[in-house]
Amino acid sequence: DTGVSQDPRHKITKRGQNVTFRCDPISEHNRLYWYRQTLGQGPEFLTYFQNEAQLEKSRLLSDRFSAERPKGSFSTLEIQRTEQGDSAMYLCASSLSGGDTQYFGPGTRLTVL
Amino acid sequence: GESVGLHLPTLSVQEGDNSIINCAYSNSASDYFIWYKQESGKGPQFIIDIRSNMDKRQGQRVTVLLNKTVKHLSLQIAATQPGDSAVYFCAETPPSGNTPLVFGKGTRLSVIA
């Protein structure tokens, strides 16, 4: 499978714990995006990378959220001190470059108890 | 502000009939539009896209129409099949040069066998 992959697919955690999600984009894609989706809503943009550079992070929901793409390949999204309101599907997408079609991964569903 | 919305939250069609899913967008300067299909528990799947210099584009069993005069986008699915049952999102890319997608809330398509 050469599509976007995400790990884990499901994560259940207790409030206050830190969680980290991984995204592996399509191999030749330079752009990598993170979105959050809550039930019944469309995906909401969080941040994106051009290679290893994080070009937009003002939409991250709070300073508890951070993302990295250290080598310009896979990316991680970390949420510190999780809250129940963080429960959602976290989606990763990649594109060849800006303005090109974004292809999504299967998502990581986070449940905060 | 920039937003993408949908006229109908749910749509039920008989198997074999054609489906039409509508979408309104508010940013007349948006220049790229995508339709995604999302099945339960999965990430959005690319269906078809269209750029603002076109008014129609066809794929396999799907057609996207763009009416820039009234800022309206539609997805037509021919000979709808049970496997088409899903939530459909339209998304737009504002012409800002940095391209997070702006999604609407989605339309749930149910195919009645």
Side-chain angles (χ1 to χ4, degrees), chain A residues 9 31 33 35 37 40-43 45 48 55 59 89 91 98-107, chain B residues 2 32 34 36 38 41-46 49 51 89 93 97-106:
Chain A
R9 295 293 308 278
R31 291 250 174 140
Y33 306 81
Y35 292 82
Q37 186 177 27
Q41 303 294 317
F45 170 74
Y48 85 101
L55 299 185
R59 310 273 194 96
M89 175 80 88
L91 293 162
D100 290 321
T101 303
Q102 295 181 26
Y103 295 92
F104 283 82
Chain B
E2 299 165 347
Y32 183 49
I34 307 175
Y36 287 94
Q38 188 172 27
K42 298 183 179 180
Q45 175 188 354
F46 170 82
D49 59 359
R51 297 201 179 267
F89 293 96
T93 300
N98 295 319
T99 55
L101 294 170
V102 177
F103 284 82
K105 290 188 177 181

Side-chain angles (χ1 to χ4, degrees), chain A residues 5-112:
Chain A
S5 61
Q6 293 186 244
D7 183 72
R9 295 293 308 278
H10 304 274
K11 178 70 177 179
I12 299 174
T13 191
K14 293 182 179 179
R15 189 178 55 184
Q17 297 295 304
N18 299 341
V19 294
T20 300
F21 310 140
R22 176 178 170 129
C23 171
D24 287 88
I26 295 171
S27 59
E28 66 269 26
H29 284 187
N30 296 319
R31 291 250 174 140
L32 185 150
Y33 306 81
W34 284 100
Y35 292 82
R36 186 180 82 149
Q37 186 177 27
T38 54
L39 195 62
Q41 303 294 317
E44 174 189 11
F45 170 74
L46 296 177
T47 187
Y48 85 101
F49 295 84
Q50 170 77 27
N51 299 313
E52 67 276 8
Q54 190 174 12
L55 299 185
E56 172 62 63
K57 56 182 180 180
S58 65
R59 310 273 194 96
L60 287 168
L61 300 167
S62 78
D63 58 7
R64 297 184 296 105
F65 287 70
S66 63
E68 295 183 340
R69 194 184 184 196
K71 298 182 180 179
S73 56
F74 73 91
S75 176
T76 57
L77 177 69
E78 181 182 16
I79 308 174
Q80 296 182 329
R81 305 181 301 282
T82 52
E83 302 173 355
Q84 287 185 327
D86 296 333
S87 296
M89 175 80 88
Y90 290 85
L91 293 162
C92 176
S94 71
S95 68
L96 192 59
S97 63
D100 290 321
T101 303
Q102 295 181 26
Y103 295 92
F104 283 82
T108 294
R109 178 164 295 285
L110 172 66
T111 301
V112 182

Side-chain angles (χ1 to χ4, degrees), chain B residues 21-32:
Chain B
I21 301 172
N22 295 305
C23 175
Y25 62 94
S26 61
N27 188 343
S28 58
S30 290
D31 56 7
Y32 183 49

Side-chain angles (χ1 to χ4, degrees), chain B residues 25-102:
Chain B
Y25 62 94
S26 61
N27 188 343
S28 58
S30 290
D31 56 7
Y32 183 49
F33 304 88
I34 307 175
W35 280 101
Y36 287 94
K37 171 186 179 184
Q38 188 172 27
E39 297 174 282
S40 181
K42 298 183 179 180
Q45 175 188 354
F46 170 82
I47 301 174
I48 192 168
D49 59 359
I50 189 168
R51 297 201 179 267
S52 59
N53 61 350
M54 303 173 69
D55 54 19
K56 180 179 180 179
R57 191 165 188 217
Q58 289 184 292
Q60 187 177 11
R61 281 201 308 119
V62 295
T63 300
V64 56
L65 299 176
L66 175 63
N67 185 331
K68 294 181 286 293
T69 302
V70 295
K71 293 183 288 186
H72 183 267
L73 195 67
S74 68
L75 176 69
Q76 301 178 2
I77 305 173
T80 312
Q81 302 169 0
D84 295 326
S85 294
V87 177
Y88 289 80
F89 293 96
C90 66
E92 67 177 313
T93 300
S96 63
N98 295 319
T99 55
L101 294 170
V102 177

